[in-house]
């Protein structure tokens, strides 16, 4: 979806920086960390990057992916997310060789049978291994 429309859909002000951040997410098939945004959108101060990411996450535009290295990466949400809830029941894949992290939409679905009375708000599943590109390179 076009950046202006996406921001308006989530009742956010349309700014040049927000549009640039969304463009960066749209250009990449893998999840993005804050350092990548800072590096590619110079001059971008760390506070503005973090505030933008937090606003996008709180609004349901992006979702957080914990990385096995301790870093946090972000990826665009599907259309089902909003400011009230994220709806992600998919796994993520982290390549131990190149450090790429991607959403496994349509793959790695693992329904979890919770005990009676429990409700899941989010499921974070990280599959670690070697991606197809790194496997081809060896």
């Amino acid at each position: 979806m076009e950046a202006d429309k996406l921001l308006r859909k989530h009742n956010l002000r349309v700014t040049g920086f927000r549009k640039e951040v969304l463009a960066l997410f749209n250009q990449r098939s893998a999840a993005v960390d804050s350092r990548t945004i800072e590096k590619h959108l110079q001059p971008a101060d760390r506070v503005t990057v973090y505030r933008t990411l937090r606003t996008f996450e709180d609004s349901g535009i992006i979702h957080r992916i914990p990385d096995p290295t301790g870093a946090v990466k972000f990826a665009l949400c599907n259309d089902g997310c909003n400011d009230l809830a994220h709806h992600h029941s998919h796994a993520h894949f982290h390549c131990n060789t190149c450090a790429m992290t991607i959403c496994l939409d349509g793959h790695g679905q693992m329904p979890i049978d919770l005990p009676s009375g429990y409700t899941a708000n989010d499921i974070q599943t990280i599959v670690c291994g070697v991606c197809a590109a790194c496997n081809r390179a060896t």
Side-chain angles (χ1 to χ4, degrees), residues 23 55 94 117 133:
T55 298
H94 175 79

Coordinates of all heavy atoms in Angstrom, one line a residue, residues 23 55 94 117 133:
A23 N 9.2 3.3 2.9 CA 9.9 2.9 1.6 C 11.0 1.9 1.9 O 11.2 1.0 1.1 CB 10.4 4.2 0.9
T55 N 5.9 4.2 17.1 CA 4.6 4.6 16.6 C 4.0 3.6 15.6 O 2.9 3.3 15.6 CB 4.8 6.0 15.9 OG1 5.2 7.0 17.0 CG2 3.4 6.5 15.3
H94 N 15.6 -17.1 11.0 CA 16.9 -16.3 11.1 C 18.0 -17.2 10.6 O 18.2 -18.3 11.0 CB 17.1 -16.0 12.6 CG 18.4 -15.3 12.8 ND1 18.6 -14.0 12.6 CD2 19.6 -15.8 13.2 CE1 19.9 -13.7 12.9 NE2 20.5 -14.8 13.3
G117 N -8.8 -21.4 29.7 CA -8.7 -20.2 30.4 C -7.5 -19.3 30.0 O -7.5 -18.1 30.3
A133 N 20.0 -18.8 0.1 CA 21.1 -18.1 -0.6 C 22.4 -18.6 0.0 O 23.4 -18.8 -0.8 CB 20.9 -16.6 -0.5

